[in-house]
Amino acid sequence: MPSETQAVTTTTTTVSPPGTRTGPAAPVPAPLPARRDGPGLPAPPVDPSGVFQYGFPGPVNDLRSAASLTSAFDRAKRNPHWVAEHITPSSLLMQNGDRRHSIFEEDMSIPEKFRAKLKDYFRSGYDRGHQVPAADAKWSQQAMDSTFALSNMCPQVGDGFNRDYWAHFEDFCRRLTSFYPSVRIVTGPLYLPKRDPDGKWRVSYEVIGHPPNVAVPTHFYKVIFAEDGRTGGNVSLAAFVLPNAVIHNDKPLQEFEVPVEAVERASGLEFASLLPPARRRKLCQEVSCSIIVKEYAERQRTIMTPPPQKGSPPATTLTQR
């Protein structure tokens, strides 16, 4: 009896996953066309993309655009991937926000099961460390308040880091506006490997909360874009990676400078892919990349001085102030 040949037809159902509360719908690959590697060969018998009819697995970055910052959230670690800010001489001179009127709060735009919670930090031994500092958002109370969402926080060592060296580093970034009319900063956590006694490299980090919920970064980075103010003008770049640990104030800041590409490799992010090499300058060759040690109370009283007036001699060091 002659055998019968049955034609097998597969149907691809593509359902666009819905947008999140913090971003547009995730992109869905177009249905695959019937692939024929040669005469008479059928289309593939499977359709892996059909899983999209049940929802898009992710990752979802929970893009947040607030008054003083833009950020993308890492749902797995309950920390931001990155947080971007923009400071100028005029924005830092405005004193319309007061942190005494701001409160730490959970980011309700993030689904509850992925959210960092206030109770996670309670008695954890870590500070709720701002990625965009409140001191950079004094230009309005709304701007100040937006920095206090936990999606702008990471667990940071307090004494010796968040309240000391890291704060001096944030002050360095603000002082850049005395020499550049526009400064953009991207800040975020890293989880870097270290070599164990057996010679193998491993990534290990603590998780705080009961049950464990928020990852404790091993390091933090800042990528700085100091703009000269001209459309299509030069941009002075610098990147720094600091350990989430006590750092003595006599440690030179430039010891933590790394190539931007090193932060990109470690984070899986890209920061300056659209900036042509011809427009790039090295920040630490134009100014002295160094901190000024100030006591906490003094930092709270400090008011930024105006930048040099047009026509004045160019500044060569940040330590002049």
Side-chain angles (χ1 to χ4, degrees):
M1 184 174 180
S3 62
E4 295 181 358
T5 302
Q6 182 178 5
V8 178
T9 303
T10 61
T11 302
T12 299
T13 303
T14 303
V15 178
S16 177
T20 67
R21 285 173 290 179
T22 53
V28 178
L32 292 174
R35 197 185 88 205
R36 296 181 181 275
D37 296 329
L41 292 180
V46 296
D47 174 26
S49 297
V51 74
F52 293 149
Q53 65 187 295
Y54 307 116
F56 182 69
V60 176
N61 291 315
D62 295 295
L63 188 66
R64 178 188 180 211
S65 181
S68 57
L69 59 88
T70 298
S71 65
F73 191 73
D74 181 348
R75 290 184 171 189
K77 295 184 174 67
R78 278 62 157 171
N79 285 321
H81 283 297
W82 54 265
V83 188
E85 62 172 314
H86 182 212
I87 55 177
T88 66
S90 60
S91 74
L92 295 178
L93 286 173
M94 299 171 71
Q95 303 288 314
N96 300 322
D98 188 335
R99 67 180 297 143
R100 291 175 298 181
H101 302 315
S102 300
I103 59 172
F104 291 96
E105 57 185 4
E106 298 175 13
D107 190 335
M108 305 304 287
S109 69
I110 297 170
E112 192 274 339
K113 62 183 175 182
F114 301 125
R115 191 184 306 154
K117 300 177 175 64
L118 292 168
K119 65 180 182 180
D120 295 326
Y121 284 87
F122 182 66
R123 293 184 177 176
S124 68
Y126 292 96
D127 284 4
R128 293 167 291 197
H130 285 70
Q131 300 303 280
V132 169
D136 291 1
K138 294 181 178 179
W139 49 272
S140 81
Q141 190 61 49
Q142 179 188 11
M144 174 75 72
D145 292 345
S146 66
T147 69
F148 279 80
L150 291 189
S151 57
N152 183 45
M153 307 291 162
C154 291
Q156 288 187 324
V157 171
D159 290 334
F161 186 67
N162 181 46
R163 302 172 216 164
D164 294 284
Y165 202 96
W166 184 255
H168 307 322
F169 184 26
E170 293 172 336
D171 174 69
F172 160 78
C173 295
R174 284 189 287 274
R175 286 186 287 113
L176 287 172
T177 61
S178 293
F179 309 102
Y180 300 94
S182 174
V183 178
R184 303 182 189 275
I185 307 160
V186 182
T187 305
L190 292 172
Y191 311 86
L192 300 184
K194 65 178 180 179
R195 176 170 279 172
D196 285 344
D198 63 3
K200 296 181 179 180
W201 292 87
R202 294 181 175 89
V203 176
S204 176
Y205 54 84
E206 185 180 350
V207 182
I208 61 172
H210 302 281
N213 193 44
V214 180
V216 179
T218 64
H219 294 73
F220 290 93
Y221 68 84
K222 281 187 182 290
V223 178
I224 301 172
F225 305 79
E227 302 169 336
D228 68 7
R230 297 181 295 112
T231 301
N234 295 328
V235 180
S236 300
L237 288 172
F240 300 86
V241 173
L242 281 66
N244 188 13
V246 173
I247 303 176
H248 295 293
N249 286 330
D250 57 359
K251 191 82 167 175
L253 179 60
Q254 281 201 258
E255 289 193 14
F256 300 110
E257 187 184 10
V258 299
V260 173
E261 293 76 15
V263 180
E264 292 178 331
R265 287 195 301 271
S267 64
L269 307 171
E270 290 188 309
F271 299 99
S273 59
L274 299 182
L275 181 63
R279 294 176 55 197
R280 300 188 185 200
R281 300 293 183 269
K282 293 184 178 180
L283 179 69
C284 293
Q285 290 183 359
E286 297 182 340
V287 299
S288 174
C289 290
S290 58
I291 64 169
I292 295 177
V293 177
K294 298 180 181 179
E295 295 300 324
Y296 182 78
E298 181 184 354
R299 292 200 306 271
Q300 296 300 96
R301 293 194 301 267
T302 299
I303 299 178
M304 292 295 299
T305 56
Q309 297 297 311
K310 186 176 181 179
S312 61
T316 57
T317 176
L318 283 172
T319 57
Q320 292 175 330
R321 295 184 55 244

